[in-house]
Amino acid sequence: ELIKTFKRLSVDQHSQDIRTFALCDYVYEVLLSLKPRLKHTPHKFCVDIPANLTINSNPGALSQLLINLIMNSAHHAFALGTQGRITIKADVEYDLERNKKLVFIYRDNGIGMTAQTIENMYKPFFTLARETDGCGLGMHICNNIVMKVLRGTIDCHSELGKGAEFTIAFPV
């Protein structure tokens, strides 16, 4: 199962094809693919996505976005050995013109960020973890995926000691 998931995610990430897929199942596939990288962390995941929610979008872009957010939390949000909680929530909404969009909320209960960090985190090579091999491209890539590939918006709310929440919205 893991090998099939790796293959499917790899194909998705290297093609920019738009297709219809079940979002909840896809998020679980991404989490399964990250299991080897996160096996030494005690973090818990809560997925709050309707089981029957299907979207027409770019699954490769979405998987790369989710992987970057999760790995950012794993590397920056939680002190070594602490159990973090990551919540992934999504649902479809309609704007005033009845255009369909996915509202995707990613939240962790980590150490949070300062206003200065939030202001700079989408800049290329901005990192607070240079001594632990952080390259500072994770959130820059997330921003590019959301803005350029998914044609959406990304917004971050965070305070020190209160975790971080990213609200991502894009047409589906």
Side-chain angles (χ1 to χ4, degrees):
E1 185 63 30
L2 188 57
I3 291 169
K4 277 199 267 185
T5 297
F6 277 136
K7 285 181 181 178
R8 188 171 30 256
L9 290 174
S10 180
V11 168
D12 283 344
Q13 287 178 1
H14 289 90
S15 79
Q16 292 301 310
D17 293 344
I18 305 279
R19 67 177 168 88
T20 300
F21 58 97
L23 183 60
C24 188
D25 291 343
Y26 199 74
V27 167
Y28 278 115
E29 286 182 7
V30 171
L31 292 174
L32 180 64
S33 78
L34 287 173
K35 214 170 192 171
R37 290 166 73 181
L38 297 173
K39 69 181 173 186
H40 298 296
T41 64
H43 309 316
K44 300 291 182 196
F45 291 87
C46 175
V47 178
D48 184 7
I49 301 172
N52 62 348
L53 177 61
T54 59
I55 62 171
N56 189 42
S57 189
N58 181 327
L62 193 58
S63 71
Q64 190 63 52
L65 173 68
L66 191 53
I67 289 167
N68 282 4
L69 288 169
I70 291 168
M71 295 313 295
N72 238 33
S73 289
H75 291 306
H76 301 289
F78 307 115
L80 194 61
T82 62
Q83 183 181 55
R85 182 174 177 85
I86 294 171
T87 302
I88 301 164
K89 183 176 180 168
D91 213 342
V92 170
E93 293 181 4
Y94 293 89
D95 63 18
L96 295 174
E97 289 84 38
R98 302 291 302 151
N99 296 314
K100 188 175 170 183
K101 69 178 177 178
L102 183 74
V103 177
F104 190 89
I105 297 171
Y106 176 92
R107 179 181 315 123
D108 71 44
N109 68 340
I111 62 171
M113 294 179 272
T114 65
Q116 181 185 10
T117 299
I118 293 170
E119 185 179 313
N120 290 295
M121 75 178 157
Y122 299 123
K123 293 177 182 174
F125 308 111
F126 174 79
T127 183
L128 299 174
R130 202 154 310 277
E131 67 282 350
T132 57
D133 294 332
C135 67
L137 289 174
M139 291 311 299
H140 175 70
I141 291 169
C142 286
N143 189 52
N144 281 342
I145 289 170
V146 172
M147 304 290 280
K148 295 177 180 172
V149 179
L150 298 173
R151 299 178 340 271
T153 59
I154 183 169
D155 189 33
C156 177
H157 294 284
S158 182
E159 291 179 43
L160 283 177
K162 296 187 178 181
E165 179 175 297
F166 292 87
T167 302
I168 299 154
F170 56 93
V172 290

